[in-house]
Amino acid sequence: MSTENAERDSLFFLIDEALGYVHPAALRAVASLKVADRLADGPLTAAELAERTGTDATVLHRIMRLLATRGVFEEAEDGRFRLTSLGHALRSDVPLSGRAAVLMLTDRTLWQPSGELERCLSMGGSVFDDMFGMSFFEYFAQDEQTAATFHDGMAAMSDWENAPIAAAYDFPESGVVADIGGGQGGFLLAVLDGRPGLHGVLYDEAHVLAGHRPPGAEISARWRTAAGDFFTEVPRADVYLLKRILHDWNDEQCVTILRNCRRAMAPGGRVLVVDAVIPKGNEPHQAKTVDVMLMASLPGRERTSAEFAELFAAAGLRLSRVVATGTVLSVVEAVADEGAGG
């Protein structure tokens, strides 16, 4: 390839990359309108969809035409749009709906700071406090709608992965499992399901627990909720679950959470950090994208296995193994490092 052709290809590639932000913006627009739900019974024109959503037909057509290039919709010769298999999870009425996750990931609390990475470089981290006048979680505490968007989105991201993650790890036959910062409780339910010897504690802030998923009859007798702050203390347990928790916080904050688990856990206990583990090399991985998003809005980060080991060591724990789950997340297991003390 000539130098001129290589430069041209590079130019075209970079321009397409720079335009990439328009795609999630379009995706958010149709998700907010529940356009996919309206296509469940068959294809419709943009004009028909606009009438049912109270929007401008020309604008809606242009947005859907763009998303058709991404495989979310398909436009037929007669101008009608149909929902594709790739776009199916955009429906809100299917078991594994991704609509809430799309709305969370494109919410202004994540979207706007991600557009300020140049400022992140000079500030050395998150620009959220500077933009919103408070930290990420302080903002959620005073804005119920944003908090609901976040918790619903996290639940949507978790619903499909909870069962395979729970199945990938060899949980003990008996004991107490505490899901720290467990949100609506979907993962803890998956862990307890089919393991009659295990009891569970869903631990989170009171306002989060108010929206937890009630367990079925088989699990209800082995389940309880407990309200608290994991930076202060955690309940006693044999196994601690920290699913998508540590990546929200900086190293010092993570060590505080882990030390609280180390201090409270029963003899022979273990801590299971369920997070993405950044792999080596240049291959794409969702964790590398999420890591930069976290950098803009939160104090946290995605981590490598070596970085997890350093956190554990500082908390009196030892990384014992990393278990692949068939999802983007791994189970990073830590046990007490008896030589380090409590």
Side-chain angles (χ1 to χ4, degrees), residues 47 135 140 173 193 200 240 275:
S135 73
F140 277 27
E173 294 184 1
D193 185 34
Y240 290 95
D275 260 333

Side-chain angles (χ1 to χ4, degrees), residues 24-73:
L27 193 61
R28 177 180 180 82
V30 298
S32 66
L33 294 171
K34 293 188 176 181
V35 167
D37 289 24
R38 302 172 194 278
L39 293 175
D41 294 329
L44 295 170
T45 65
E48 292 169 329
L49 286 166
E51 182 178 357
R52 300 180 190 192
T53 57
T55 57
D56 183 278
T58 301
V59 173
L60 183 57
H61 178 266
R62 292 163 70 181
I63 290 173
M64 295 191 67
R65 180 175 61 190
L66 171 64
L67 290 173
T69 70
R70 308 294 289 179
V72 178
F73 304 113

Side-chain angles (χ1 to χ4, degrees), residues 41 49 54 71 95 145 157 162 169 192 205 229 253 298 300 334 340-341:
D41 294 329
L49 286 166
Q145 182 175 352
M157 288 183 67
N162 284 334
Y169 184 80
L192 298 181
E205 294 180 294
D229 177 1
Q253 292 166 320
L298 290 124

Side-chain angles (χ1 to χ4, degrees), residues 134-338:
M134 63 190 76
S135 73
F136 187 83
F137 288 108
E138 287 173 338
Y139 186 87
F140 277 27
Q142 57 85 47
D143 189 312
E144 292 184 4
Q145 182 175 352
T146 299
T149 297
F150 178 79
H151 292 301
D152 289 347
M154 288 304 300
M157 288 183 67
S158 296
D159 280 345
W160 77 271
E161 67 191 12
N162 284 334
I165 294 173
Y169 184 80
D170 52 333
F171 284 91
E173 294 184 1
S174 62
V176 176
V177 178
D179 194 353
I180 306 303
Q184 296 180 357
F187 184 48
L188 183 58
L189 288 173
V191 170
L192 298 181
D193 185 34
R195 297 181 175 93
L198 287 180
H199 289 68
V201 181
L202 181 63
Y203 185 76
D204 213 316
E205 294 180 294
H207 74 276
V208 178
L209 293 176
H212 81 275
R213 301 177 182 183
E218 191 276 326
I219 293 177
S220 60
R222 301 184 284 115
W223 160 290
R224 70 181 179 91
T225 61
D229 177 1
F230 51 52
F231 286 117
T232 303
E233 61 180 356
V234 298
R236 185 172 177 81
D238 300 285
V239 179
Y240 290 95
L241 308 176
L242 291 164
K243 183 170 184 280
R244 296 189 189 270
I245 298 297
L246 294 192
H247 77 171
D248 288 340
W249 305 102
N250 64 32
D251 288 356
E252 182 180 355
Q253 292 166 320
C254 288
V255 170
T256 297
I257 297 169
L258 291 169
R259 279 178 178 160
N260 286 337
C261 294
R262 170 69 175 89
R263 188 177 299 117
M265 75 181 182
R270 64 193 90 168
V271 178
L272 307 183
V273 175
V274 184
D275 260 333
V277 177
I278 296 180
K280 295 179 180 179
N282 300 314
E283 294 303 311
H285 193 281
Q286 189 183 97
K288 298 175 183 179
T289 304
V290 173
D291 178 56
V292 174
M293 180 189 73
L294 293 171
M295 179 178 66
S297 289
L298 290 124
R301 62 186 301 171
E302 301 287 17
R303 294 177 170 88
T304 64
S305 58
E307 288 168 335
F308 278 118
E310 291 176 2
L311 290 182
F312 294 151
L317 296 163
R318 174 176 54 83
L319 192 157
S320 51
R321 57 178 170 153
V322 177
V323 179
T325 67
T327 76
V328 73
L329 305 182
S330 297
V331 178
V332 188
E333 180 190 71
V335 297
D337 185 350
E338 300 301 343

Side-chain angles (χ1 to χ4, degrees), residues 54-120:
T55 57
D56 183 278
T58 301
V59 173
L60 183 57
H61 178 266
R62 292 163 70 181
I63 290 173
M64 295 191 67
R65 180 175 61 190
L66 171 64
L67 290 173
T69 70
R70 308 294 289 179
V72 178
F73 304 113
E74 183 177 87
E75 184 178 11
E77 290 287 339
D78 61 5
R80 293 189 302 165
F81 286 92
R82 74 170 185 87
L83 188 64
T84 67
S85 58
L86 286 178
H88 176 76
L90 202 57
R91 288 174 53 181
S92 65
D93 58 349
V94 294
L96 293 180
S97 172
R99 176 178 178 268
V102 168
L103 294 176
M104 177 193 71
L105 292 170
T106 58
D107 185 79
R108 62 191 294 264
T109 55
L110 296 175
W111 178 279
Q112 292 181 4
S114 293
E116 298 291 338
L117 292 180
E118 189 174 358
R119 289 171 60 192
C120 291

